[in-house]
Amino acid sequence: MPSCSPLRYAHSEGLTSLCYDDKGKYILTCGSDGDVRIWEGAEDDDAISHGTGDKAFCVAYKNDRFYIATDANTVQAYTFPGGSPDGILARFTAPANHICINQMGTTLVAGSSDFTIKLVDISSGDTKKFEGHEAPVLSVALDPKEEFLASSSCDGSVVIWRVENKEKVKKFQILPKVGDISLTKGLCRLCWEKNGQFLYVPLENEIQIYDRNSWSTTGSIQDSQFSGVYSVLDLSTDGTHLAAGCYDGHILIFDLKTKTCVDRFKHESGLSIMSLSWNPSNQTEIAFCDREGQLGLLSEINLIGGNQPAKEQRVKETLGIFEDDDDDAELVQASDEPSKEQIFDEDSNDSTPASVLKPLDDDLASEDGEAPPVIPVQTRIIERPGFVPTPPQGAFQPGSTPKHLSSRFMMWNAVGIIKQFNTEEEESIDIEFHNTAIHHAMHLTNSAGYTMGDVSTEAVVLASPGEDSDPSKLTCMHFGSWDNSKEWTIPMDDGEAIEALAIGEDWIAVATSGRLIRIFSLGGIQRDIFSIPGPVVCLSAHTNQLLIAYHRGMGLPGDQCLGVHLMTVEGATQINHQPLPLSHKSSLAWMGFSAEGTPFYMDSSGIVRMCNRRFGMSWVQVANTKSHTKGKSDNYWIVSVHENPQQLRCIPCKGARFPPVLPRPAVGILPFQVPLCQMNTEKSQYEEVFHRTQLLSSHLQFWNTIGYEYDTSIASELAKPSQEALMKLFALSARSDREFRALEVCEMMSEPHTLQLAIKYACRLKYMQLAERISEVVQRKSAEQAEEVEEEEEEVVHRVQRVHNHQNHVQENEEMEEEDVEVDQENAETNSAGGPLLNLKAKSKNEVLSQSYGSSGRSNPFKVLTPQKPEPTKGTQVFDGMSKKKQTSPGQVMLKNTRPVKAVKRTPQSQGKITSVKSTNEEDKQEESQKKSKSAFDLWFEETKSQLMEELPEADEESLVQTAAERFRKIPKEERQIWIQKSKEGDNKKRKREEEEIPTRKVNPKLAGFAFSKD
């Protein structure tokens, strides 16, 4: 009979569950008091306790996490041993009664009182639901091969399910029917044989064995000395013994090879055994809990058995037994730790050990030369698994919730929401737009089985993964089309399924299982197709940009190895198949673009990163959503990202990774923060503001480089916080006697006015050397600016020359056209008088010139085209108000730099605040150029033009401009600076007049207001 430790209180009376950790060091228990306790052995007087709810029904442990089924009708994961919530794996409409986990810890199965069973993929959250029981589920057991699932229920049945298609394979009606789990005597906790060949089912008086090949009984296990109800079963780690807990308090140990009972234990109070578990590191130890919530530990379990009673087969720890006083002594040796046992002489008062036990064949031979039988010592083989690769992350749609949910979001972005309902009563899709001016809400019947979708201001795209009989197909509802045919569908080829999709400005990108990216137009034209190096993870699109995430290979244990490719649909590459940085043991949770077109993504650890175009297309962390959550199991689900204003729009999810459809969740706003060191100091806070402002305003430079223009007032408004932060950082450095650091800050200042303020501030603090060095910085930057002005003036002169040349060419072209008309008339007269051969005429001068320009690869400079005003495009995308700079020929370049149009008031669909020049012909550009402020060269030329005309009366306009440009370059530098200053003063006067004309316009305060408010 095994020895039992003193029973100790663990939980209040009721259903109690326990398990060991993977190493067998800790025991985890839960009970009707809602607490989970972690014991370091049964004698631990200071167990760690974690509250999980009002009641806890079952506990399971795997891979440094434990899982609890609570009265909140959920199965919740917690970290070990901290006990922090780590996500909800399954939800029911009633409490889950039993849970089990596969050997690898990747799959969890839970049976509930709502008659359903759910099988959950722990890493991805994918769920399979098994329905068919007519009463609460008592227990579940997953086949070690993960092909079958066994379950028992209060309806009296034991059902075998096929995991792949969720069908019933076999149903046994062998249990007594009860209405609730609290009324049953036996919990019928099923157990599989180690290799999955046999299923053990506890019944009254016996344990039946079912073979997986035929699902028929191949025998039973029973004990002649026991007549009662078997309730719970557990298999030893090596799979050779089965422990059975009974309703009357018995615990029986069976040898599966002989199907006999080798050891037994009887509860001192006869209380029902509610749960038991073998120690994975000690085959002779079992922990159990009874109905009153008491914890006990059985040790020294006999795993050998025999025909004699167990007490005659065991030797006490510190005592050797001699049957008689004569010389013929028979020694009974124990199999556990023989080297530690000592033999003492019964007749001797000396406590000195007589001898230490040695092998029986050497020292324990009897007088007649016959050795006593040797009891074999069992050896246990410990199987250590090798390297197990991390399962690759499946493909998903950013802004969508898992596909297994009956009601889910197919897409939630800045334009609208697509919701999918998949129940027995209804299979439908609801589409709604944040701005109803784009389109009214739509309700569709989902008979095609769509699971993926995306929405823009021009179209809605849906895709189905396809099945064996039906191919995967893509459907587009182009409501922005001007014709009546607004919907089209394209099926994929056999064996190719759509895994991800995204909508761009006027195109659709689709990723398929064949590792192909297919580009379609909104009208349904197949534009491009190309391959990617690995399985796709997700796609995202913005205007003409396409962002692709895919698997590059096998990552380190627990990590995903993902790659990213950023390109335009025209074929230009920005990020060429580079690794995507992820946090340790995390996966990709969301990827997309900001409203201004900058790539962002978030991993499952809550870290948000953005693409830093200024620093070699690198990825920089700009937010940590986990720092804003209240609990460790809480998460934020991203909806959209905006750089101006700086907003991260998310939905808070309490105890889950994604929000429910009903009730409709509310969107919150999180701030950005660059993780600099020592963020609790004033210096780091100013540095963080500067870096964050620089990062989130870099999109203006990017769009300007690819041909878009923006209002300069927007850029100055965005740069204002960074300039203020630099001034504060300069003042802090100067007050801290960090003059070198203060000079470094001045190097980062771009405005001359702020540098002058820095000089004054340094003089006020009597740092004269610092003030002198700042003055040198000002002079150097002024010289660089003057050189830039010279280059601009030279460019202006060249443009003027090209304009005059173009005018001369146009005049010559007109004259030649008049001559051509006369020649044509003469030829017409000649042709009317001559025969057929007279129809062959010589090439005109205009044709010869046209051919000569065409052969050299240049367009005809004499051809005058009538400009056509482009039609406005439909839609309210972020960059709909943005247009490309007009590409002009050398003769059509404007005299002066065009001044961009003022940005319109931002609407929910135009977040970028980027505008462009809308002029369409040369006359409009000249009218705008006249409204622009005059450059230094223009002012100087106007004042000296009369003098130059007197000196050169015979010079034409072109030669006069060339002479003026040469003389302007030769004037002294000081005088040139005076003219530059005059041109700037003219800009300031014009700006003041505009401000007087628009009294409602706000005036930006000067940076000196906060830096020198105090003496």
Side-chain angles (χ1 to χ4, degrees), residues 217-231:
T217 57
T218 60
S220 64
I221 300 175
Q222 54 186 345
D223 182 43
S224 58
Q225 301 181 13
F226 172 76
S227 60
V229 178
Y230 293 94
S231 179

Side-chain angles (χ1 to χ4, degrees), residues 430-446:
D430 288 344
I431 305 172
E432 59 182 83
F433 296 85
H434 301 316
N435 185 3
T436 55
I438 300 176
H439 200 273
H440 59 79
M442 294 185 288
H443 178 79
L444 309 174
T445 301
N446 190 15

Side-chain angles (χ1 to χ4, degrees), residues 590-607:
W590 180 88
M591 173 174 278
F593 290 89
S594 67
E596 290 77 14
T598 303
F600 280 77
Y601 73 91
M602 182 181 75
D603 57 32
S604 57
S605 298
I607 303 299

Side-chain angles (χ1 to χ4, degrees), residues 643-663:
E643 297 177 73
N644 183 26
Q646 299 178 7
Q647 292 180 352
L648 187 62
R649 300 185 180 181
C650 309
I651 296 176
C653 305
K654 186 175 179 61
R657 293 189 177 275
F658 47 84
V661 175
L662 295 174

Side-chain angles (χ1 to χ4, degrees), residues 268-386:
E268 58 185 11
S269 301
L271 298 176
S272 176
I273 304 300
M274 305 304 295
S275 61
L276 56 81
S277 177
W278 289 86
N279 188 332
S281 62
N282 187 354
Q283 290 285 91
T284 62
E285 183 176 290
I286 293 179
F288 68 93
C289 283
D290 59 26
R291 183 175 291 276
E292 289 188 355
Q294 298 180 104
L295 172 65
L297 185 66
L298 298 182
S299 58
E300 301 179 9
I301 298 174
N302 178 28
L303 301 178
I304 301 173
N307 296 327
Q308 296 180 351
K311 61 181 180 180
E312 297 180 4
Q313 300 175 12
R314 185 174 292 104
V315 180
K316 296 181 181 181
E317 263 190 349
T318 58
L319 182 64
I321 301 176
F322 294 90
E323 301 237 344
D324 300 321
D325 292 337
D326 54 11
D327 296 333
D328 298 333
E330 182 180 356
L331 177 66
V332 181
Q333 182 182 10
S335 60
D336 292 339
E337 299 182 355
S339 61
K340 295 183 181 180
E341 297 188 4
Q342 297 175 341
I343 301 176
F344 299 92
D345 189 0
E346 289 183 350
D347 297 335
S348 175
N349 295 326
D350 190 3
S351 60
T352 304
S355 64
V356 178
L357 292 181
K358 296 182 181 179
L360 296 177
D361 55 355
D362 294 338
D363 297 333
L364 299 181
S366 59
E367 287 184 355
D368 54 2
E370 296 181 359
V374 179
I375 301 175
V377 179
Q378 249 188 348
T379 58
R380 181 166 59 95
I381 300 175
I382 301 176
E383 297 181 359
R384 299 187 181 276

